[in-house]
Amino acid sequence: MAEANILVAHDQFSCPVCLELLKDPVTTACGHSYCMGCIKNCWDQTDHTGVYSCPQCRETFTPRPVLRRNTVLAEVVEKLKKTGLNPPPAQSYAGPGDVPCDFCTVRKFKAVKSCLTCLASYCETHVKPHSEVTPLKRHKLVNAIGNLEQKLCAEHQRLCEVFCRTDQTCICLLCSQIEHRSHDTVSAEAERSVKQKQLGETQTEIQQRIQERLKEIEELKQAVESLKRSACIEINESEKIFTELIRSFEKIHTEVTELIGANEKAAVNQAEGRMKKLEQEIAELRRRNAELKQLSETEDHIHFLQNFQSLCAPPEAGDLPSVTVNTDISFGAVRKAVSELKDHIEDFYNGELVKITKTVNETAVYTLGSRSSDRRFKVNEVAVYSLLSREPRNRAEFLKYSCQLTLDPNTAHTNLCLSEGNRKVTLRGEIQRYPDHSERFDCWPQVLCREGLSGTRCYWEIECSGGWADIGVTYKGISRKRGDRSCILGCNDKSWSLECSGSIYSAWHNNNETAITSPHSPRIGVYLDFNAGTLSFYGVSDTMNLLHRFRTTFTKPLFPGFGVDYDSPVTICQLN
């Protein structure tokens, strides 16, 4: 009891701010005492308000009170210090997560023991009677635990001391004699011993599993290091092989170039030789013609007759054969042959890449069960598909993947007019009579198509009749009801778009712009390879002019969409 009084005395002479024994104690007008430094610091922080209050009772003072040392209180504190009274260590107070002492009345100290008989927790001071008073010595003490009320039977408010094996629950003695009388019941201690044995077996199994997993980790580390070394060697060797392959292609390129050059040089030399002989024959014929002209104009009949025979003899047939000139000279056949070689190599490459990929995939650090293996195989399928997928090379090949698209009136901004079977969209000044719909764009003049595209290749073409248009695709979750730019196609992470303004193009995604320089094309082709993760925009004319290609991983169906301006209608072309 004396020790308890000492603790109470300590609390009475503690500063409410620092919780230590008062230093230079001062007393406010409301009667509360503080360390001079503590109350001064508190009021210094409120100087800007001009109002000062007691930290305990919140009584306010204006102006700031003048603080004077309470000499009487200071003497009492000094006497307490001389008696050897020291404040309990800070860690003995109950903090967050600690079990507080149920018998501390002023400030709760941390409990060190809990009594399962009293159903109360005690600090080091208040637990002493349990070791000193004979009746209390028979009580069962355990390390401090919280929520002791959970140890009570909810129906009888008695300590749960029995375990019902039939219902697998803890009960009190009264429950075992009434509701659970015919059940298989044992003492909590007996059941604990059984469960403790099971717990030990589980712990042993867990420890064994931990050791097995640690062993697996070590084996995996060694396998990974081995794989890295092997991969490094194979990459270097593959680099050498591909370098040699590139040299072979460069050699073929050089040989074809030299072959064409040699053929050109031989043909030119042959033609130049032929032209030289023809020029010589022409010169000889001109000389004969001049002699004949001179002979025909002479007035000397004897001279005419004497030279007539030699000069008028028919000209000898030249050694040169007749010439048929090829006016359509071209090496197109060579270009065709080279192009066919390229196609053959690509086809061979695709076939061999499947074999290479299969071989690489068979080299695994570890093997999982059937479900994991199936999942890994599907991932590899996607990787192989991405490597093998090749975009069409001409418009005829693109048209093989053409799809039919229609505009969705439920998404159209109220100033957009849909026509031509919902394939053309035009921005109007007047409001269109559309019903309210949650999917409608209410700020930006945009519209989406009904069709969601996924898991396949798709191609469609758009005609832009005016000066500006925004062509793109988006996930269905794009924002439609906000006024900021995040609703615009390409200005968020859910959409990709091509902005067309005359001959100026820009690719947009996640509000990042990529400027594009390209000749103007009134028709834009859009090619989506969902599985390969590519979205390509083309200027459509005699040839397909790639404007921009996005590469990503698509995770949800994509809906084609358009943004339009006044006098700039957009039409989805019919390709079939």
Side-chain angles (χ1 to χ4, degrees):
M1 183 63 69
E3 291 183 3
N5 290 336
I6 291 174
L7 292 175
V8 172
H10 175 271
D11 283 339
Q12 289 176 339
F13 295 101
S14 295
C15 173
V17 177
C18 67
L19 304 180
E20 302 290 341
L21 282 175
L22 291 166
K23 299 175 183 176
D24 293 329
V26 295
T27 304
T28 59
C30 58
H32 293 109
S33 301
Y34 301 92
C35 298
M36 173 77 79
C38 292
I39 191 64
K40 184 175 181 299
N41 289 336
C42 289
W43 285 353
D44 286 345
Q45 296 175 11
T46 58
D47 268 341
H48 63 285
T49 64
V51 178
Y52 307 91
S53 63
C54 172
Q56 283 189 279
C57 67
R58 300 301 178 185
E59 182 176 343
T60 59
F61 313 103
T62 305
R64 177 170 176 168
V66 177
L67 297 174
R68 291 186 175 85
R69 188 169 184 265
N70 188 327
T71 55
V72 175
L73 190 57
E75 290 176 1
V76 173
V77 172
E78 286 301 318
K79 288 181 179 179
L80 287 173
K81 289 181 178 179
K82 290 178 180 179
T83 62
L85 174 64
N86 292 316
Q91 63 268 21
S92 65
Y93 290 113
D98 293 330
V99 178
C101 175
D102 292 321
F103 279 76
C104 289
T105 57
V106 180
R107 188 176 180 193
K108 298 290 185 180
F109 288 92
K110 183 170 68 174
V112 294
K113 293 290 182 181
S114 293
C115 177
L116 297 182
T117 305
C118 302
L119 291 179
S121 298
Y122 303 93
C123 64
E124 292 181 356
T125 300
H126 292 119
V127 77
K128 288 184 177 180
H130 277 73
S131 60
E132 298 171 353
V133 179
T134 302
L136 297 180
K137 289 181 180 180
R138 293 192 292 270
H139 290 188
K140 186 173 182 179
L141 295 177
V142 296
N143 291 331
I145 54 177
N147 300 321
L148 285 171
E149 62 275 5
Q150 294 181 357
K151 308 295 186 297
L152 293 177
C153 170
E155 184 175 356
H156 304 110
Q157 294 300 307
R158 298 183 63 176
L159 182 65
C160 293
E161 302 177 82
V162 180
F163 183 80
C164 176
R165 289 176 173 173
T166 303
D167 294 337
Q168 290 292 302
T169 185
C170 294
I171 58 176
C172 67
L173 286 172
L174 194 56
C175 289
S176 66
Q177 297 171 5
I178 304 175
E179 294 91 343
H180 299 261
R181 182 173 53 188
S182 60
H183 293 183
D184 181 12
T185 58
V186 294
S187 68
E189 185 177 357
E191 185 64 19
R192 164 67 185 271
S193 63
V194 174
K195 292 286 193 292
Q196 186 73 35
K197 183 178 180 182
Q198 295 177 359
L199 180 65
E201 293 173 352
T202 302
Q203 285 181 306
T204 301
E205 183 180 351
I206 290 175
Q207 290 295 331
Q208 182 179 357
R209 186 172 297 182
I210 290 173
Q211 295 302 319
E212 291 174 355
R213 293 296 182 257
L214 289 173
K215 182 180 178 181
E216 288 178 4
I217 290 175
E218 187 61 32
E219 291 175 349
L220 278 172
K221 286 181 179 179
Q222 295 177 4
V224 167
E225 291 300 321
S226 176
L227 181 68
K228 287 181 178 180
R229 290 192 296 270
S230 177
C232 183
I233 294 172
E234 294 306 318
I235 288 173
N236 292 334
E237 292 301 318
S238 298
E239 184 70 24
K240 294 178 183 178
I241 294 172
F242 279 108
T243 300
E244 293 176 2
L245 185 60
I246 291 170
R247 288 175 182 169
S248 298
F249 279 116
E250 289 175 347
K251 182 180 179 182
I252 294 173
H253 178 212
T254 302
E255 290 177 352
V256 171
T257 303
E258 292 176 351
L259 179 62
I260 294 174
N263 187 278
E264 173 196 10
K265 184 176 180 180
V268 169
N269 290 338
Q270 185 179 8
E272 288 177 347
R274 177 72 185 186
M275 287 188 291
K276 185 175 181 180
K277 290 181 179 180
L278 290 173
E279 288 171 353
Q280 291 173 352
E281 184 177 346
I282 291 171
E284 179 63 25
L285 291 173
R286 284 176 176 172
R287 186 187 62 78
R288 287 278 305 275
N289 187 52
E291 291 178 349
L292 290 173
K293 182 180 180 181
Q294 184 180 4
L295 181 63
S296 67
E297 293 175 351
T298 183
E299 296 178 356
D300 186 346
H301 303 306
I302 301 301
H303 176 74
F304 179 86
L305 294 173
Q306 288 176 341
N307 292 282
F308 174 81
Q309 191 67 28
S310 60
L311 293 177
C312 288
E316 296 179 359
D319 297 332
L320 299 177
S322 60
V323 175
T324 301
V325 178
N326 181 11
T327 58
D328 187 20
I329 300 175
S330 172
F331 285 98
V334 176
R335 183 170 63 251
K336 181 180 179 182
V338 172
S339 180
E340 290 177 352
L341 173 63
K342 171 179 168 290
D343 293 342
H344 288 319
I345 291 175
E346 285 184 349
D347 293 340
F348 178 77
Y349 156 78
N350 289 338
E352 291 301 311
L353 183 58
V354 173
K355 298 178 183 179
I356 294 172
T357 305
K358 182 179 179 181
T359 303
V360 171
N361 290 338
E362 289 174 351
T363 304
V365 177
Y366 59 90
T367 303
L368 297 176
S370 58
R371 291 179 61 188
S372 300
S373 298
D374 291 344
R375 183 163 56 251
R376 188 185 67 169
F377 177 72
K378 291 179 181 178
V379 171
N380 288 338
E381 279 183 332
V382 173
V384 173
Y385 181 88
S386 178
L387 286 171
L388 295 182
S389 60
R390 173 182 58 81
E391 293 207 352
R393 286 171 281 193
N394 52 59
R395 187 164 180 264
E397 292 187 5
F398 278 106
L399 291 177
K400 295 178 182 178
Y401 306 103
S402 61
C403 61
Q404 297 295 328
L405 300 176
T406 54
L407 302 171
D408 185 358
N410 291 333
T411 66
H413 186 273
T414 52
N415 285 102
L416 295 182
C417 176
L418 307 186
S419 58
E420 297 185 11
N422 288 345
R423 290 189 300 103
K424 183 176 181 180
V425 55
T426 307
L427 180 60
R428 303 291 190 194
E430 61 275 8
I431 300 296
Q432 307 299 308
R433 295 183 178 179
Y434 294 126
D436 292 337
H437 202 283
S438 60
E439 295 183 357
R440 189 175 311 287
F441 290 98
D442 64 0
C443 183
W444 300 98
Q446 298 181 142
V447 61
L448 302 183
C449 289
R450 295 178 185 274
E451 297 77 15
L453 309 176
S454 64
T456 184
R457 301 185 187 191
C458 300
Y459 177 74
W460 61 98
E461 291 181 354
I462 307 300
E463 281 190 354
C464 308
S465 304
W468 184 91
D470 201 11
I471 304 168
V473 298
T474 180
Y475 295 142
K476 194 171 185 177
I478 186 174
S479 177
R480 307 166 196 236
K481 304 297 181 184
R482 296 167 58 186
D484 57 25
R485 288 178 54 84
S486 64
C487 298
I488 302 176
L489 291 172
C491 292
N492 49 71
D493 61 357
K494 297 179 177 63
S495 61
W496 298 257
S497 74
L498 179 74
E499 182 180 3
C500 310
S501 180
S503 60
I504 300 175
Y505 299 94
S506 296
W508 288 85
H509 174 62
N510 204 16
N511 207 29
N512 293 320
E513 179 184 13
T514 302
I516 301 167
T517 302
S518 180
H520 172 67
S521 176
R523 180 173 286 211
I524 302 297
V526 186
Y527 176 73
L528 169 67
D529 191 336
F530 190 94
N531 291 333
T534 61
L535 175 69
S536 306
F537 295 89
Y538 289 87
V540 180
S541 57
D542 295 336
T543 59
M544 302 293 289
N545 176 31
L546 178 63
L547 300 174
H548 187 77
R549 178 180 292 119
F550 290 104
R551 296 186 184 276
T552 185
T553 300
F554 299 119
T555 58
K556 302 175 184 176
L558 294 167
F559 292 81
F562 311 98
V564 298
D565 201 356
Y566 290 105
D567 300 322
S568 300
V570 167
T571 303
I572 303 173
C573 302
Q574 285 187 325
L575 301 180
N576 295 330

